[in-house]
Amino acid sequence: LAKTTQPISMDSYEGQEVNITCSHNNIATNDYITWYQQFPSQGPRFIIQGYKTKVTNEVASLFIPADRKSSTLSLPRFSLSDTAVYYCLVGDPGGGYNKLIFGAGTRLAVHP
Amino acid sequence: DSGVTQTPKHLITATGQRVTLRCSPRSGDLSVYWYQQSLDQGLQFLIQYYNGEERAKGNILERFSAQQFPDLHSELNLSSLELGDSALYFCASSVELPNSPLHFGNGTRLTVT
């Protein structure tokens, strides 16, 4: 079971780019890296998913180095409304238990 | 809107009682997952169903059970409720294809008094 390690919390300022790094030393060949965002009292929301190199969508970018033992979620121009908990998951999205386990996540707080 | 519907949104009941939480997955999704999130705790995976069959089981108590019906909606049954069962219960759904993320509903908040 691929385990992930993220910082428990991070602080940032409005308008700045925020980067959250997730470590996953035991990532398997078939594993993808998926990030979710959760606002208080809401269900987690899929942000981005990647396998290697860089993935970008309208919300975020995901940077994955060649060894794939870590990944960095980048949120551009962080705003107060982005204050949430961010989860990194590693697993085989084709099925299996691995993709189902959420870690403690990173609680991101933004200051004006 | 994720397309996953959970009812009811709130539920208040007493210890020892039994409740049923309902989930309708996104159209076309065959897999349904149940998670429990206690106050200030992470998401605990309970159970997964795929097209009516149990696919994976997590930290689900014996007092809890679930099923997925032919129309793909799912129900989570919680019985002999205890104060510690108070939590947010989330349902998620997905397609069983590579790169398929989970889509979560907004949960049912259960309060046991």
Side-chain angles (χ1 to χ4, degrees), chain B residues 55-110:
Chain B
R55 172 67 67 88
K57 200 175 236 185
N59 300 319
I60 188 166
L61 300 172
E62 287 190 8
R63 301 184 286 109
F64 297 0
S65 65
Q67 55 184 328
Q68 186 179 27
F69 295 87
D71 67 353
L72 300 178
H73 91 271
S74 178
E75 292 181 356
L76 179 67
N77 300 297
L78 315 176
S79 61
S80 303
L81 284 168
E82 302 174 359
L83 294 177
D85 298 327
S86 296
L88 265 170
Y89 290 84
F90 290 107
C91 168
S93 72
S94 76
V95 296
E96 284 301 303
L97 291 172
N99 305 330
S100 57
L102 303 181
H103 298 273
F104 284 80
N106 279 327
T108 293
R109 182 175 294 279
L110 173 67

Side-chain angles (χ1 to χ4, degrees), chain A residues 74-109:
Chain A
S74 180
L75 302 166
R77 298 178 298 282
F78 199 73
S79 69
L80 285 169
S81 64
D82 294 324
T83 297
V85 178
Y86 293 81
Y87 296 96
C88 162
L89 271 75
V90 170
D92 175 4
Y97 193 72
N98 288 358
K99 75 169 180 176
L100 310 174
I101 307 302
F102 283 76
T106 297
R107 190 173 297 274
L108 209 48

